[in-house]
Amino acid sequence: IVVYDATVRYMNITRRQAITLRMVCSCAQHTSTLNQQIQTPKSTVKIRFRGQEIAVPYGTKLRTALLKSGLTPHSEGAVYINCRGIGSCGTCAVEISRGEVEPSSWTTAERLRLNFPPHSAPTNTRLRLACQVSCMSDLEVIKYDKFWGEGNCPLPDLQSKPASVAPLGTFEFVLDPGATNDSNGDNNSPGGRYMDTNDRSQKP
């Protein structure tokens, strides 16, 4: 009451106007706090892929995130035969069923490759190339059957991780500048770590 009386006297306004002014200022401060929280990205995001859940640095290319976590967006044969991230082979095609990636729509490489056989309408519209998109939130990712991932049947959940998903080692990521910051290929990337969240023995 004392604060309101002082405000009324100083600003020559009614007590009701003073209360309204305080409510407006409080809402503005709350909105500013929310905007700061929204603009501050997570250090890591979670990816759910074929029954496995991993945590990776925010903004990581999806292909890099999966490979460095011991998973792969490629089918079994395409692990060895793929373009290593140019976006020309189309074998890393996946569906982002939940979450946000950047860019939000097809890149030029995706538009060219996902409209080229064996990819075709209408099923191609649900696909993104893992080598072309960055992880901007928690994601759920689906891999479909066939060599290029152009099938209609989602691949089954993995009971364990494949023995080898990056046969060329660091050369798998030569076209991803962000991956070069991670010299050891595991848990050293700035802004976050690659972590298998299914393994409770690991700590973030």
Side-chain angles (χ1 to χ4, degrees):
I1 295 176
V2 173
V3 173
Y4 291 151
D5 287 341
T7 302
V8 168
R9 289 196 301 270
Y10 181 76
M11 300 185 66
N12 193 26
I13 59 178
T14 67
R15 181 170 295 176
R16 183 182 295 275
Q17 289 173 324
I19 293 173
T20 302
L21 178 62
R22 183 181 179 188
M23 291 175 64
V24 171
C25 292
S26 178
C27 287
Q29 183 178 12
H30 182 63
T31 301
S32 176
T33 301
L34 287 176
N35 287 337
Q36 289 178 356
Q37 292 174 346
I38 292 172
Q39 293 170 3
T40 303
K42 298 179 179 180
S43 60
T44 60
V45 297
K46 293 181 180 179
I47 302 174
R48 186 77 179 172
F49 180 76
R50 298 190 63 186
Q52 303 287 313
E53 186 175 276
I54 57 175
V56 304
Y58 172 89
T60 305
K61 283 287 177 64
L62 179 55
R63 178 180 181 271
T64 297
L66 292 173
L67 290 178
K68 289 199 172 187
S69 300
L71 300 170
T72 178
H74 304 287
S75 63
E76 185 175 352
V79 168
Y80 301 94
I81 306 173
N82 67 77
C83 67
R84 265 67 200 184
I86 297 176
S88 61
C89 73
T91 61
C92 67
V94 295
E95 178 183 0
I96 312 296
S97 60
R98 183 179 67 86
E100 297 180 6
V101 294
E102 184 65 33
S104 58
S105 57
W106 280 357
T107 63
T108 299
E110 288 176 296
R111 190 163 56 252
L112 292 172
R113 188 60 193 84
L114 292 175
N115 280 308
F116 189 83
H119 293 296
S120 62
T123 56
N124 64 340
T125 57
R126 70 188 175 194
L127 301 175
R128 301 299 304 269
L129 296 183
C131 66
Q132 298 294 302
V133 299
S134 300
C135 307
M136 309 307 288
S137 73
D138 294 346
L139 303 176
E140 287 187 8
V141 181
I142 300 172
K143 180 67 180 180
Y144 290 94
D145 61 334
K146 299 189 177 181
F147 187 85
W148 282 270
E150 77 276 19
N152 290 310
C153 298
L155 293 183
D157 289 351
L158 294 167
Q159 300 305 312
S160 61
K161 290 184 177 181
S164 174
V165 297
L168 297 186
T170 56
F171 287 105
E172 291 284 352
F173 317 105
V174 70
L175 297 175
D176 180 3
T180 60
N181 294 324
D182 187 2
S183 58
N184 294 327
D186 185 26
N187 294 342
N188 294 315
S189 181
R193 301 177 62 195
Y194 297 90
M195 176 180 148
D196 182 354
T197 60
N198 296 297
D199 184 353
R200 301 306 177 187
S201 66
Q202 298 189 57
K203 298 181 180 179

